[in-house]
Amino acid sequence: MCSGSEQELGVLEQHLEAVRQRSFVGREEELGVLTDALRGSRSVLYVHGPGGVGKTALLRRFAQQAAALGRQVTTLDGRTLDPTPVAFEAQAAPVLAGERAVLVIDTFERIQGLEGWLRERFLPRLPLGALVVVAGRVPPDVMWTADPGWSEALHVLLLRDLAPADAAALLEARGVADELRGPLLAFAGGHPLALSLGAAVATKDSRASARWRPSQDVVATLLDQLVGEVPSPTHRHALEVCAHAYMTTEDLLREILPEDASSLFTWLRRLPFVESSPRGLFPHDVVREVLEADLRWRDPQGYAAMHERISNYLAAQTRAAPDAFVLGAVGSLFYLHRAVGSTSEFNSWRGDGEAYEDAFRPTETEALVRMAAEVENEASATAVAYWTARQPEAFRLYRRAETGELVGFCSWLRLYEPSEEEAALDPIVATAWANARALAPLRPGEHLAVGRTWVRPEYRGMSPVQDLIQWRSIGYCLRADRMAWSFMAMRSDDPMRDYLRHYDMHDVGEHAWLGDTEYALYAHDWRAAPAQAWLDRLNRLLLGDPQDVQALPGPALAVLSQAEFGDAVRKALRHLSRSGELAASPLTRCRIVTDDSEPDPARALRRILEQAVDDVRRDPRADKLHRALSMTFLRGAPTQEVAAERLGLPFTTYRRHLASGIERVCEDLWHREIYGAAKG
């Protein structure tokens, strides 16, 4: 006879099981596999998947079904078992005694050391008809599949996240309000544990809204359940790098953790919540999010330092990558900024799976012209026909991976000087030149770029096609040589206009009309804010408040004409010993100074000018010019008359040498400003 407390426990147990039954959703396919095994299709089922993915719930439901069919079920938990053959066999003995016995082993990763003994010594003794179900985080050892004897007896089942409909059903079963389901699904995806924990917290929070984010308690609980203990702080750091980067390679780890990259990469790829792809390793989405949230909260400075190093590595990859790899490099770089609202709104990171980029071939001109007319108008089609003949290399095509169907294309025109013919054929190009002349004209050797896109309506906004197009455009910008301006032509109804403003590309003035369609030209002056400054601004935006959508100002460079630049050099040479005057020089905001490693602009400018004077003597024919420059600006002659006297030169000869030397310095520094290198 049961005592009162035992009866109460039984009632509570029944209540718990009833709640679990109501909360269990989906898994029809997996339950079908398990049910087939009960009919004798297999002797051993091995279920594996990351922590919290629902293995225990699935095993519990299966055990109920097996018991309902009259099978004798024994359930073991690796967390409570002594990991020895003797202890295991004592607990699992019933399965060896009956043909209808079922043994369920949960949390097998805690006793993973028994796997070889289980396969070689215990399981072969099973009576025909008995069934063993093993579930753990770690996939089965390759020796299972290497042994042909197990090919018919074993079935391996990888348990993944719930499908979207099942994830939504779980939240409904947990009583989550409609307005909270969106942010919960965005955070947890189909991960059952993350959904359940989020639901438990959100339903009790009266202030929860559509902006809900997981609390640190939820993050800490998930970290403990999903990741657990790691061997060392270095391993934790490798895991944080893997969570922050889109894909992690051994090369990337070597950049951040040079001493242990190989062993850390091997460790990462063996983790149950880390998957492999042709481009590297990536963690389960929920693991990624909780690791990110934890590090940003726990160590903001460490997070910022890690982000900066990964960003610099990927930016260098973007600049150096062969053309075929540019899209992947830019996509990985942008993925670092996914926490910024506008970036997540217009990047799906599905481009390389659902769509692909293709080269333009002249035989496809007609298809592009036809699409331009369909998605825009005849005037746009006329411009496409003109430019495909004039700059065919400017065009890239985008196709659906499944069918090869053309769904969009883009162009990136490089223009070096205005052309009346081009302006007459394409008002967008004419307007770009007009805006550039009005704001900051091009200097010798520079060019401007005009980007345009044509995309079928169903792929506008966030889509895999738009991913690839914008990554290609950013790749052009980050890899450009001597590009002064970039202009992106956008229709008034294009949803990406606000997105471009957010990334420091602005409607700068005059608009263009093609047919009856108005286009704004979103521009960026890459001389005033070059590629690295542009990336630094994105980093500041990420590392500040991710919800802040206001443009953060960056250090604007001075864009001087050659005459203005020469005047500034002459003035700076005259004031070479005066730090205050040098600090006020517009040259301190020019490329020759901002690219220098010296943090003090005045000190950097003085050293650059002194070096430029010294470089003049490398030309044996310019020795007289160098002597005049050195005596006047480096050796402290109080007046030009004194300098001429010390050089033993007539004053007019000295002045001629000095003027020629100054022009040589101006010319050399201008070459560095425009081309980024000393003149050879």
Side-chain angles (χ1 to χ4, degrees), residues 438-458:
L439 295 167
L442 272 63
R443 302 174 299 188
E446 295 177 338
H447 72 277
L448 63 79
V450 178
R452 291 190 62 191
T453 64
W454 296 262
V455 178
R456 296 205 179 280
E458 61 267 30

Side-chain angles (χ1 to χ4, degrees), residues 484-495:
W485 286 98
S486 65
F487 293 92
M488 290 298 299
M490 310 297 289
R491 299 189 315 183
S492 59
D493 62 345
D494 196 304

Side-chain angles (χ1 to χ4, degrees), residues 355-356 360 364-389 391-400 405-413 425-429 450-461 463-470 472-473 476 487-491 493-496 514-515 517 519:
Y356 66 91
F360 168 72
E364 297 179 286
T365 298
E366 185 178 342
L368 269 57
V369 171
R370 186 166 56 249
M371 178 180 285
E374 291 172 0
V375 303
E376 292 194 348
N377 53 42
E378 290 297 333
S380 179
T382 299
V384 168
Y386 177 77
W387 287 112
T388 51
Q391 286 195 30
E393 71 281 359
F395 287 81
R396 303 289 175 126
L397 282 56
Y398 299 91
R399 303 183 185 278
R400 286 183 59 191
E405 174 193 4
L406 178 67
V407 293
F409 66 98
C410 73
S411 67
W412 188 262
L413 305 175
L425 251 299
D426 191 343
I428 288 178
V429 165
V450 178
R452 291 190 62 191
T453 64
W454 296 262
V455 178
R456 296 205 179 280
E458 61 267 30
Y459 289 99
R460 292 178 185 167
S463 77
V465 175
Q466 289 286 15
D467 285 357
L468 297 179
I469 289 175
Q470 67 167 313
R472 174 57 67 183
S473 298
Y476 283 137
F487 293 92
M488 290 298 299
M490 310 297 289
R491 299 189 315 183
D493 62 345
D494 196 304
M496 294 189 71
L514 264 69
T517 305
Y519 295 83

Side-chain angles (χ1 to χ4, degrees), residues 16 133 162 216 244 298 341 346 361 365 372 385 449 459 468 539 567 576 595 604:
L16 292 174
V133 181
L162 293 171
Q216 285 307 129
H244 192 54
R298 175 172 50 82
F346 286 98
R361 290 170 284 273
T365 298
Y459 289 99
L468 297 179
N539 290 339
D567 289 343
L576 198 57
D595 284 355

